[in-house]
Amino acid sequence: MEDTTARWAHALVNVRSSSPATSSHMLCSRSVAVVALLVAVCRAAVVTENGLPILWEKAPALLSELPQADGVVKPDPWDFLQRMAMYRLMINASSSYMSSIGLGGNENPVWGLPLQLGWKLKSGRLVDPTGVGTCGQEGSNPVCIATNSWWGCANYHLSVLPFLAAVETGLVGDGQTQVEIQVPAELAADYCSSTCSTVNPDAMNKWVSFFKSLKTISSSEESEDEKKDQILGLMWSAQLASLDAASTTCADKKTLYSSPEQFFMDSWLMSAQYVGAARFMSGLEKSVQFMVPLPSRVLQKKDRPPKIADFSTEENHTLYIFSWMTSVNKFLGGTLTSMWKRAMCSVAAREKGRALMTDLLLNPQFPISSLLSILAGMITNC
């Protein structure tokens, strides 16, 4: 962390000499650099197969293809394909209401979630960090998710909770379908099976609101941009509530990892605050662009970004930016996230925020020392 600390300390000094006008100009003048970087990023981590999330085509596509007993659908979320099936069912059921975001189904913002699950599998983050068993290994049969995996636990809240909400609202199923999630007895205290509204009321209420609102928003008389912004706002509100629940439920599993991986977990959770406030358009193609530079393996004790020898330039850059933003935010007592959220005050501001995110993560030439002055300028215009 020493390198990171030195860099952000230097960056904070430079912020004082950056004017909002100069920073705004820099924000708008890097399209060529970003395009060039995206070409390079394509050589980084593999997060798709045939243009779709990992093992997507092997996951069940129908509710009736999931395990059943006595007329009750009983998916096993520790089976990778069954967890992926939850996403497949949600995307298939909701895409017809997403025309304001984009046609063809690929712009459905839920795509970001199964892509994340595939990256976690490919990068070894679904295995047991204690080294017990083969769960989480891509070659295991069936492909399962280790119950000790912090990443698997966090993803549980981003898969099971929205899936149950989609079933509750009738978006998935016929509105009468009974679903009960399989939960091993030793995990019953941490995970819900069907009464998730009791265990995780905030997250469940927000996912139900998201799915319920899709029909209303899609048929409203508002502009397409307003519809898109509302849909993305509801979805990110639900995702952030799920992650908030996960940060508590999964806390004990976090200690099983190295210090660098734990710091990355904190940074990953923190990054959701930024992308959520900007209402990131997490469709298929856009999500892939932002996910291929994520670390391709679990971080070890010796790893110090941006100087990890077996990582690509893009992976090292992404880890450095994550570390910088987390360190600066802690140093400033939460001021960075607070400023970011205040700056995302309108549809137009959030559009600028998404462009700023692209610069931060995908453009190594972006002067991060200008970030605070850019945000200050955006807040002034709110």
Side-chain angles (χ1 to χ4, degrees):
M1 292 293 97
E2 291 84 357
D3 287 345
T4 298
T5 302
R7 291 188 186 211
W8 61 249
H10 177 68
L12 287 175
V13 172
N14 289 341
V15 165
R16 296 188 181 96
S17 62
S18 299
S19 69
T22 300
S23 302
S24 298
H25 175 72
M26 288 188 292
L27 177 61
C28 299
S29 63
R30 300 182 193 88
S31 59
V32 174
V34 172
V35 170
L37 181 67
L38 290 180
V39 173
V41 162
C42 291
R43 296 194 296 270
V46 177
V47 297
T48 61
E49 292 176 338
N50 300 319
L52 294 168
I54 304 300
L55 297 179
W56 181 263
E57 294 175 335
K58 293 184 179 180
L62 300 172
L63 200 60
S64 59
E65 294 175 344
L66 292 171
Q68 297 189 39
D70 301 322
V72 179
V73 179
K74 294 192 171 185
D76 177 6
W78 309 111
D79 181 307
F80 180 89
L81 291 180
Q82 291 186 44
R83 197 179 285 200
M84 190 63 82
M86 297 181 191
Y87 290 130
R88 193 168 184 177
L89 289 162
M90 285 188 282
I91 288 173
N92 288 344
S94 61
S95 287
S96 61
Y97 303 109
M98 304 288 189
S99 60
S100 61
I101 299 178
L103 300 175
N106 285 350
E107 297 303 322
N108 189 323
V110 180
W111 275 114
L113 296 175
L115 285 167
Q116 281 188 38
L117 180 60
W119 163 70
K120 290 166 188 170
L121 175 68
K122 281 285 190 179
S123 64
R125 287 180 164 82
L126 298 182
V127 303
D128 191 322
T130 66
V132 177
T134 60
C135 263
Q137 296 179 9
E138 193 175 354
S140 61
N141 187 22
V143 181
C144 52
I145 298 171
T147 55
N148 270 341
S149 166
W150 182 90
W151 294 95
C153 176
N155 180 264
Y156 180 98
H157 295 77
L158 292 168
S159 55
V160 170
L161 301 192
F163 176 70
L164 289 175
V167 171
E168 181 181 328
T169 59
L171 189 73
V172 170
D174 57 7
Q176 305 298 318
T177 305
Q178 287 184 283
V179 174
E180 185 176 312
I181 304 297
Q182 295 184 42
V183 180
E186 66 273 18
L187 301 176
D190 293 331
Y191 301 100
C192 53
S193 57
S194 58
T195 57
C196 291
S197 292
T198 302
V199 180
N200 298 294
D202 186 44
M204 282 299 296
N205 288 340
K206 287 178 177 177
W207 280 115
V208 167
S209 177
F210 168 63
F211 288 121
K212 272 187 175 180
S213 299
L214 287 178
K215 289 183 181 180
T216 305
I217 294 173
S218 64
S219 60
S220 74
E221 298 298 321
E222 296 183 270
S223 70
E224 296 300 285
D225 283 346
E226 288 287 349
K227 291 180 185 179
K228 176 175 68 177
D229 192 66
Q230 288 179 37
I231 290 172
L232 292 171
L234 288 167
M235 187 207 66
W236 278 110
S237 177
Q239 279 205 49
L240 291 172
S242 279
L243 288 173
D244 186 54
S247 66
T248 300
T249 303
C250 310
D252 60 331
K253 296 172 176 57
K254 188 177 174 184
T255 60
L256 302 175
Y257 295 82
S258 69
S259 295
E261 183 72 6
Q262 290 185 45
F263 188 80
F264 174 58
M265 291 170 181
D266 290 339
S267 299
W268 182 77
L269 288 171
M270 182 65 66
S271 71
Q273 299 292 326
Y274 299 102
V275 296
R279 301 186 183 180
F280 175 65
M281 295 173 62
S282 51
L284 187 60
E285 294 181 6
K286 182 64 72 174
S287 292
V288 168
Q289 290 176 359
F290 279 80
M291 291 185 63
V292 288
L294 291 177
S296 54
R297 63 163 172 79
V298 175
L299 300 180
Q300 304 302 318
K301 186 176 181 179
K302 63 180 178 10
D303 290 327
R304 292 293 183 271
K307 298 177 181 179
I308 303 177
D310 63 328
F311 277 7
S312 67
T313 301
E314 293 78 25
E315 288 171 283
N316 272 300
H317 174 71
T318 297
L319 281 172
Y320 168 64
I321 292 298
F322 272 38
S323 297
W324 185 89
M325 295 183 75
T326 301
S327 298
V328 168
N329 191 58
K330 287 182 178 179
F331 179 76
L332 297 177
T335 296
L336 183 57
T337 52
S338 176
M339 287 183 68
W340 182 280
K341 290 176 182 178
R342 287 170 58 200
M344 304 298 124
C345 59
S346 66
V347 174
R350 288 188 282 273
E351 187 68 35
K352 291 180 181 178
R354 294 192 284 269
L356 182 55
M357 283 170 42
T358 300
D359 267 339
L360 278 168
L361 293 172
L362 301 181
N363 182 5
Q365 281 72 49
F366 177 76
I368 56 175
S369 60
S370 66
L371 179 58
L372 293 182
S373 60
I374 289 173
L375 293 178
M378 292 176 67
I379 291 170
T380 300
N381 293 326
C382 281

